[in-house]
Amino acid sequence: MSRFGGVVVRRAVPCVMRDGVKLYSDIYMPDERGEFPVLLMRQPYGRTIASTVTYAHPVWYARHGYIVVIQDVRGRGDSEGEFAPFIQEGADGFDTVEWAAALPQSNGRVGMYGFSYQGITQWAAAAERPPSLKAIAPAMCPADLYHGTFYPHGSFAIGDKLPWAFQLARDTARRAGDAEAAEQCTRMMRHPDDWLFHVPVTDRHPLLERYFPTYYEWCEHTEYDGYWRERNWLPRLAECPIPALHIGGWYDSYLMGTLGSFAALQEAPGRERTIHRLIVGPWGHIPWGRMAGGADHGPAADGDIHMEQLRWFDYWLKGNADADPSAEPPVRYFEQYSNSWRTARRWPAAYAPDTGKSGFRLYLSGTPKPANGALGGGVLAPSPGREEEETADVFVYDARLPMRTDNCLPSDRSAIQDRYEILVYSGEPLDRTIHLFGSPKLVVRCQTMGGPTDLVATLTVVKPDGKARFLSVGRTEIGRPAAQGAAAAGAADGDMADEAEPAAEASAGSAGEWERAVIDMRPFAAAIEAGDALRLELTGSAFPLFARHPNAGPEGRHRAGEEKLGIVAVAVCRDNGGAAYVELPVAPLDDDAVGG
C-alpha cells in the first residue's frame, strides 16, 4: 500500500475468477475512514493508463469519495489467461463486480465507467446482471458489435478495425516476449495503408495470423449471423435494463453503436423504472476537446463531461438527490456551427417526417452540364426538376482506385469534390438558418453496368469561404440481381454468408434494371447558417471508412483478389416525378441552447 496524489493506492491486487484465473487490479481509495462506492474500469491496454486519454485520472475520482478499481482484463497486462475479445467479458465482469463490492471500505454499490473497449466491458457485465452493479456510463461503444461498430451501414469498417487489430497483436507479441514482432505491429498500426489496400481482405498477414487471428473472424462473418448475435447484448439488457449514461461523439467511429444502444434501451420494457441519458459531443474517438477536423468548436466543447459523469454516479451510488438526472431532458447534444449544447426529450428517430414532425426534402436536379464534379451541373433544389424526359447522371467507380474517406471528422472535402468520379449536387445558399438533428435519408433510382457495387452518399455543408465540410455519409449495395440477392439474404442466418452460391448472376458488362436505392445516413447535429449551402456527393466508395466493394459477384466482397477488382458505371436518374431526393431531419428545438 502506498500514497499517490493524496490518495491510498494498492497495486496489482489479484481477483480470482470462477475458473481460477487471476486478474490484477490497481485500487485507488480516499485517504480517510468510512465506506465508499466503487467505480470499476476493465481494460485491455494496461491498467496504469486507466483511459486517461479521455478521463480524469483515478486519483481525481478517489478524491471525490470513490474507491476506483482499474483492472487488466483476462490475457492482457499482468492478468492471467488467454485474451478472447468480448466473449470473456461477461462472466469476468460479473465476478469482478461482486469482488469489488466486497472490498474493504466498500459500501457494496458498484458503477462501471470507461470508453471504447472499456465501455463494451460494461455492456457485457451488465447483461449478466451482477446484483451489486447499480449504474454504468459506457462511452463511445456499442452493445451490438455488428451494427454498432464492425459493419456500420452493412460494410466492414476496415480503416478503423485493421489498425486496432495490429495494436492488439502488438500487445500479445509483447506478452510473448517477441520484441521484433511487437515493433513491426506498431509500425503497421501507425501506417497501415499497404495492408488496407491489400486484397483479398481475408488474406492472412503473418503478424495477425500469429498474434491476433480473431481479426479474420471479423472479416469472414460479413452478415449478422450467430457469431455476431453472441456479441450483441441488447436483447438481454432490454429484459433487465440498468441505469446508463451513454456518451458519444459526432465524429467517433463508434457513433452508430452509442446511438443504437440508447435508442433500443429507450424503448425497452421497464424503461419507466430505469433512467437512460445520452450526451453527444463534438468529438472523435480521441480526444474530447474543442478542435476536430480543423474546426474550432469553442470553449464549451468539452460539455463539462467530467462533472457530468461524477453527478451521474453521485446519484446512483451515493444517493445524492441534488444530482437527480430525471430533472433534466434525457438527451443533451452539441450542435455544430452554432457551437451550442441543446437538449431533446427523445432520440430524433421520433421526429422522422413520417411521424408528422418536421423535415424537408432537397431534390436532385441539374442543368445541361453533367453532374460530375463540383463545377458540374448537379443541383439540390427545393422542388422536383421539370425535365420533360428522364435525365441520368453517370459516374464510374474503379475498385482499384477507391475514392478516399478516412474518417467522419468535419474536414474540408472541396478538393476531392472536383473529381469527375463523383456526382455532385449543390444547393443554393440558404436565406435563413436551419437546425438539423438526426439521420438524413437519400432516395434515388439508379442503374448499374457491370455490378454489383456500392452506392455511397456523402453530405457536406459549403461555407461562404468555399470549404465543404463533412456532415454525414452512408452506403448501400446496388446492382445485385434479384435472385442473387435473395440467395445472399437466405445465407445471412448461417455462419458464412459470403459462401452462398447465387441463384443467378448478371453477365459481365451487362446493364441492370433501374432500381430504387435508399440510404439511411449517419446522424449529425448542425446549424446550417444563412449563406451556407448543402452539397451531396454520390460515388462508389468511401475507403477505408468502409471496405471497398470489388465490383465482383459470387466470391464475396472480402474474398475478391486483385484480378477481380472491376470497373462499374452507375447511372442516377433525376426526373420530374421527384424520385431522387435527400430528406433532412429538422430539429424540434424544444429547449434553449446553452454555450456557444
Side-chain angles (χ1 to χ4, degrees), residues 4 28 39 41 43 47-64 68 70 113-115 288 302 304-310:
F4 175 77
Y28 301 79
L39 289 181
M41 176 188 293
Q43 70 164 45
R47 62 184 184 273
T48 302
I49 296 174
S51 286
T52 49
V53 293
T54 53
Y55 289 88
H57 192 274
V59 164
W60 185 81
Y61 291 100
R63 292 180 69 90
H64 281 85
V68 185
I70 311 296
Y113 78 111
F115 87 120
W288 302 359
D302 79 331
D304 209 12
I305 196 68
H306 299 300
M307 299 308 296
E308 287 281 350
Q309 293 177 94
L310 191 65

Side-chain angles (χ1 to χ4, degrees), residues 374-443:
L375 297 179
V379 173
L380 276 184
S383 58
R386 300 184 179 277
E387 295 93 339
E388 294 182 1
E389 297 180 356
E390 289 186 344
T391 303
D393 298 316
V394 178
F395 70 84
V396 173
Y397 161 50
D398 183 347
R400 298 167 299 180
L401 298 168
M403 301 303 296
R404 194 90 187 205
T405 298
D406 288 272
N407 51 55
C408 295
L409 293 170
S411 304
D412 177 24
R413 291 184 59 83
S414 56
I416 198 171
Q417 288 171 349
D418 280 337
R419 297 287 297 262
Y420 280 14
E421 303 98 315
I422 300 176
L423 300 181
V424 179
Y425 300 89
S426 301
E428 291 295 322
L430 299 176
D431 60 4
R432 60 184 175 86
T433 297
I434 59 173
H435 300 270
L436 301 179
F437 174 46
S439 300
K441 180 170 72 173
L442 175 72
V443 178

Side-chain angles (χ1 to χ4, degrees), residues 352-373:
D354 59 5
T355 67
K357 299 292 183 178
S358 297
F360 75 96
R361 294 178 179 180
L362 291 176
Y363 295 86
L364 278 62
S365 185
T367 71
K369 294 175 64 176
N372 304 83

Side-chain angles (χ1 to χ4, degrees), residues 485-498:
D493 290 331
D495 286 342
M496 299 289 288
D498 271 345

